[in-house]
C-alpha cells in the first residue's frame, strides 16, 4: 500500500465507526487517515473532492438501504475500490454489490485490524490491476493510441450523437505509403519508431474530443465530430498530409514518409450507417487516394509518349 492511505468510512453507527477508526489507527507499520461520514449523500459528496484509496461502506444508512447504497456509491467512486461492511442479514445484498462492482465485503462481526488492512490492500491492488488490464485492452501498446476495440466504441457513441444533433462527423482512414519498404529495409525497430512518430504527429493536430486510433499495422483512423461544414473535411485531409512534409528522423536515419487519406462523412441521416459500414467506406476512399497517388507516380516516371493517362 502507498505510504499514506486515505480511507473513507461511510457508517451511521457511531460505535461501529469508532471501532473501525480505532482498529485502523492502531494498525502497525501503516499510515492511514480515516475520514468518517454517516450518510450516503455525504459519502458521495466526499469522493467528488478527495481521491480516496478505498471506501468502507455500510449498506444500511439513514438515506439509503441495501444494494441501492452500493450501486449509488459505485456510480461516483469510479476507480476507488469499495469494500462493503455487512451486518447480519446483509449477505445477499453484499454478494449483489460485488456483482455490481464492489471489490470485497467484510462482516462487521469479524472485524479485526488485520482483516481490514488486508481487504483494503487487496482492494487497492486489484483495482489498479483492473485499471491496467482495461488500459491494455483498449489502448495500443506501441503508440498509446486507442486500439480497434476502443475506436469501435467511440465511433458507435459518435454516430449516436450525430444522429441526435444532425451535426456531421467525418472519419478519416489513413495509412503510411510504402510502409513495408521501411520495415524491410530498416528493420522492425525502425518501423515501430516511425509508427510512433506518425501517431504523435496525428495527435498534434487534433482538438480535444477528436479521436485518433490505430486500426492495425500502419493504418490509423481519425474521427472528428461536429464538423459544421462538409468542405472542412478536405482542409483536414490536407492538414493531415502536410504533417508529413518533413521526413521522420530515427536515430541517424531519415525516412521520408507520406500517407494516403480517405474521408467519409456521416451527417446523422440514414439508419444503415454503423461503424463497420463507415469504416468500410473510409477504407475504399483511402484506396482510391492510394490508386491516384500510384498512377500519378507512374505518369511522372514513364516518358510522356508511353503514358496511359
Ligand atoms: Mg448502518
Amino acid at each position: 500500500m502507498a505510504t499514506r492511505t486515505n480511507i473513507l468510512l461511510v457508517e451511521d453507527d457511531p460505535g461501529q465507526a469508532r471501532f473501525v477508526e480505532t482498529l485502523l489507527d492502531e494498525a502497525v507499520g501503516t499510515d492511514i487517515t480515516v475520514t468518517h461520514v454517516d450518510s450516503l449523500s455525504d459519502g458521495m459528496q466526499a469522493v467528488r473532492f478527495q481521491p480516496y484509496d478505498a471506501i468502507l461502506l455500510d449498506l444500511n444508512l439513514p438515506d439509503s438501504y441495501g444494494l441501492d447504497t452500493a450501486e449509488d456509491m459505485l456510480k461516483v467512486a469510479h476507480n476507488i475500490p469499495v469494500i462493503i461492511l455487512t451486518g447480519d442479514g446483509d449477505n445477499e445484498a453484499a454478494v449483489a454489490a460485488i456483482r455490481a462492482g464492489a471489490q470485497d465485503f467484510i462482516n462487521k462481526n469479524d472485524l479485526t485490524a488485520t482483516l481490514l488492512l488486508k481487504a483494503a490492500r487487496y482492494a487497492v491492488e486489484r483495482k489498479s490491476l483492473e485499471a491496467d488490464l482495461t488500459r491494455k485492452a483498449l489502448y495500443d501498446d506501441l503508440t498509446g493510441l486507442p486500439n480497434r476495440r476502443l475506436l469501435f466504441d467511440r465511433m458507435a457513441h459518435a454516430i449516436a450523437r450525430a444522429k441526435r444533433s444532425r451535426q456531421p462527423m467525418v472519419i478519416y482512414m489513413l495509412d503510411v505509403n510504402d510502409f513495408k519498404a521501411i520495415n524491410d529495409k530498416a528493420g522492425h525497430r525502425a518501423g515501430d519508431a516511425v509508427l510512433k512518430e506518425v501517431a504523435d504527429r496525428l495527435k498534434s493536430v487534433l482538438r480535444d474530443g477528436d479521436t485518433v486510433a490505430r486500426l492495425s499495422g500502419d493504418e490509423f483512423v481519425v474521427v472528428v465530430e461536429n464538423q459544421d461544414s462538409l468542405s472542412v473535411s478536405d482542409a483536414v485531409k490536407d492538414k493531415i498530409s502536410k504533417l508529413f512534409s518533413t521526413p521522420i528522423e530515427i536515430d541517424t536515419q531519415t525516412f521520408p514518409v507520406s500517407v494516403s487519406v480517405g474521408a467519409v462523412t456521416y451527417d446523422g441521416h440514414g439508419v444503415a450507417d454503423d461503424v463497420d459500414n463507415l469504416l468500410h467506406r473510409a477504407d475504399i476512399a483511402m484506396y482510391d487516394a492510394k490508386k491516384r497517388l500510384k498512377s500519378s507516380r507512374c505518369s511522372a516516371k514513364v516518358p510522356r509518349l508511353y503514358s496511359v493517362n
Side-chain angles (χ1 to χ4, degrees), residues 106-160:
I106 310 174
N107 193 308
K108 288 180 197 178
N109 300 322
D110 304 332
L111 273 184
T112 63
T114 318
L115 195 63
L116 260 181
L117 287 173
K118 228 191 224 165
R121 193 176 64 230
Y122 285 161
V124 171
E125 276 171 13
R126 261 201 309 269
K127 201 73 195 180
S128 80
L129 195 68
E130 267 174 27
D132 212 38
L133 287 175
T134 308
R135 193 184 51 71
K136 281 212 167 84
L138 298 177
Y139 291 88
D140 171 43
D141 266 349
L142 176 68
T143 61
L145 294 179
N147 65 14
R148 170 186 284 265
R149 185 189 286 192
L150 185 54
L151 170 71
F152 272 57
D153 184 61
R154 294 229 180 129
M155 276 186 68
H157 283 107
I159 289 168

Side-chain angles (χ1 to χ4, degrees), residues 7-13 16-21 24 33-39 43 52 54-58 85:
I7 290 181
L8 177 67
L9 170 64
V10 190
E11 168 66 79
D12 63 329
D13 178 339
Q16 190 71 51
R18 217 171 307 121
F19 180 55
V20 171
E21 281 178 298
L24 289 174
T33 309
V34 180
T35 306
H36 171 226
V37 295
D38 55 13
S39 68
Y52 290 100
I55 300 166
L56 295 171
L57 181 66
D58 174 27
L85 298 175

Side-chain angles (χ1 to χ4, degrees), residues 31-290:
D31 195 355
I32 295 176
T33 309
V34 180
T35 306
H36 171 226
V37 295
D38 55 13
S39 68
L40 178 65
S41 55
D42 284 353
M44 289 171 72
Q45 191 67 10
V47 295
R48 289 208 172 91
F49 300 107
Q50 179 81 33
Y52 290 100
D53 296 298
I55 300 166
L56 295 171
L57 181 66
D58 174 27
L59 290 182
N60 301 326
L61 296 161
D63 54 346
S64 179
Y65 192 84
L67 179 60
D68 286 348
T69 309
E71 285 181 338
D72 286 346
M73 182 54 99
L74 285 164
K75 266 182 230 157
V76 295
H78 300 298
N79 289 322
I80 309 169
V82 174
I83 300 162
I84 308 292
L85 298 175
T86 61
D88 293 328
D90 285 343
N91 270 356
E92 237 171 79
V95 171
I98 298 278
R99 263 190 230 117
Q103 286 288 323
D104 204 352
F105 67 90
I106 310 174
N107 193 308
K108 288 180 197 178
N109 300 322
D110 304 332
L111 273 184
T112 63
T114 318
L115 195 63
L116 260 181
L117 287 173
K118 228 191 224 165
R121 193 176 64 230
Y122 285 161
V124 171
E125 276 171 13
R126 261 201 309 269
K127 201 73 195 180
S128 80
L129 195 68
E130 267 174 27
D132 212 38
L133 287 175
T134 308
R135 193 184 51 71
K136 281 212 167 84
L138 298 177
Y139 291 88
D140 171 43
D141 266 349
L142 176 68
T143 61
L145 294 179
N147 65 14
R148 170 186 284 265
R149 185 189 286 192
L150 185 54
L151 170 71
F152 272 57
D153 184 61
R154 294 229 180 129
M155 276 186 68
H157 283 107
I159 289 168
R161 279 191 293 269
K163 272 187 183 151
R164 276 199 306 270
S165 68
R166 303 284 181 201
Q167 283 279 346
M169 64 187 263
V170 185
I171 295 103
Y172 303 89
M173 169 97 67
L174 56 117
D175 84 351
V176 179
N177 295 322
D178 307 317
F179 179 69
K180 199 177 165 296
I182 298 178
N183 259 348
D184 290 350
K185 282 181 201 148
H188 284 276
R189 265 193 59 213
D192 282 354
V194 166
L195 290 177
K196 263 172 113 162
E197 176 63 20
V198 169
D200 286 345
R201 289 191 189 185
L202 285 172
K203 273 189 268 185
S204 72
V205 289
L206 294 185
R207 304 168 308 181
D208 280 350
D210 295 343
T211 293
V212 53
R214 184 175 176 209
L215 192 61
S216 67
D218 62 325
E219 279 187 326
F220 297 84
V221 171
V222 176
V223 181
V224 178
E225 286 183 71
N226 299 325
Q227 199 163 296
D228 17 41
S229 129
L230 297 183
S231 62
V232 180
S233 97
D234 279 338
V236 175
K237 255 200 289 188
D238 274 356
K239 213 158 132 189
I240 292 176
S241 301
K242 283 205 182 98
L243 283 176
F244 302 98
S245 55
T246 49
I248 292 178
E249 315 246 351
I250 308 290
D251 299 328
T252 55
Q253 284 175 288
T254 303
F255 301 94
V257 166
S258 68
V259 294
S260 296
V261 191
V264 53
T265 301
Y266 178 60
D267 63 3
H269 298 275
V271 277
D273 276 313
D274 57 16
V275 176
D276 280 326
N277 185 319
L278 287 173
L279 282 180
H280 180 63
R281 282 166 49 205
D283 199 41
I284 292 172
M286 183 186 78
Y287 274 95
D288 279 349
K290 213 175 254 305

